Amino acid sequence: MKIFAYEGKFWQFLNTVTDLVWLNILFIITSIPIFTVGAGMSALHYMCIKMWRGEDEGITKGYFAAFRANFGKGTALWLIMLFIDIVIIADLYFYFTGAIQLPGVLMVVIMMFAIIYVMATVMVFPFQAQFENTILNTFKNSALYTLSKLPKVLGMIIVQALPFAATYFYVQIAPVLLFFSFSVPAYTAVILYDRDFKEIGGIE
């Protein structure tokens, strides 16, 4: 086995790690304006799909091409999600602080919607990155996929939360977030959903 040969597993692993580090930095830089997070997240997942399939032809070029291609819908998806997030957080805050009184049944409905919504949003940008669709259908397909593949989606949520949870308990590792916090969870998610996406058929 040529583990340490240039084509061997060691160098392949090292190349993947360095590509993920650079991809993470690109995502953070392009997300600084905040409203561009959706385009960045779509590009991030697009490149992770390409990396996993061994189809990428350059991280920087591929990322910015995907960023431009997803800018319109990706930004719209992100802004809609951001608005819904604010509404849900505000409702929960005012309810638990006693500022507003809501019927118990209505509060249960809001909580259930919030839980399903949060889980479904994990798949919004992977679907945007891989499938040509309307904004409404992207949300719908993300929700349907989440409900049909719940264990996988829960696994993705856990992986995405791990870097930030670890930083909360061990603040000294916060600089690590700069290098792995978004790209590694996205790459791990691809490993979980790629077979399903291939069966559905997406952008090549």
Side-chain angles (χ1 to χ4, degrees), residues 49 52-53 189-199:
I49 291 170
W52 173 246
R53 296 178 180 178
V190 170
I191 296 172
L192 293 173
Y193 67 65
D194 185 54
R195 180 178 296 180
D196 301 322
F197 275 23
K198 282 181 176 178
E199 291 176 359

Side-chain angles (χ1 to χ4, degrees), residues 1-107:
M1 293 180 64
K2 298 181 179 180
I3 296 177
F4 294 101
Y6 187 72
E7 301 83 5
K9 293 185 181 299
F10 173 78
W11 287 108
Q12 290 176 7
F13 172 77
L14 191 61
N15 285 335
T16 299
V17 170
T18 54
D19 284 347
L20 287 173
V21 168
W22 180 232
L23 194 55
N24 201 78
I25 293 172
L26 287 175
F27 171 74
I28 291 174
I29 292 172
T30 55
S31 297
I32 290 175
I34 304 299
F35 73 91
T36 56
V37 168
M41 191 63 73
S42 301
L44 176 68
H45 277 276
Y46 180 83
M47 288 309 301
C48 284
I49 291 170
K50 290 296 185 181
M51 286 175 59
W52 173 246
R53 296 178 180 178
E55 299 172 354
D56 66 285
E57 298 178 356
I59 296 299
T60 305
K61 180 180 177 181
Y63 179 87
F64 281 107
F67 184 89
R68 290 190 295 271
N70 288 281
F71 187 82
K73 287 183 181 178
T75 301
L77 288 166
W78 165 246
L79 293 178
I80 292 169
M81 290 167 59
L82 190 60
F83 174 76
I84 296 173
D85 288 342
I86 292 171
V87 171
I88 291 174
I89 292 171
D91 284 344
L92 294 175
Y93 173 79
F94 288 127
Y95 177 78
F96 286 110
T97 57
I100 59 173
Q101 298 295 323
L102 295 175
V105 174
L106 179 58
M107 198 60 209

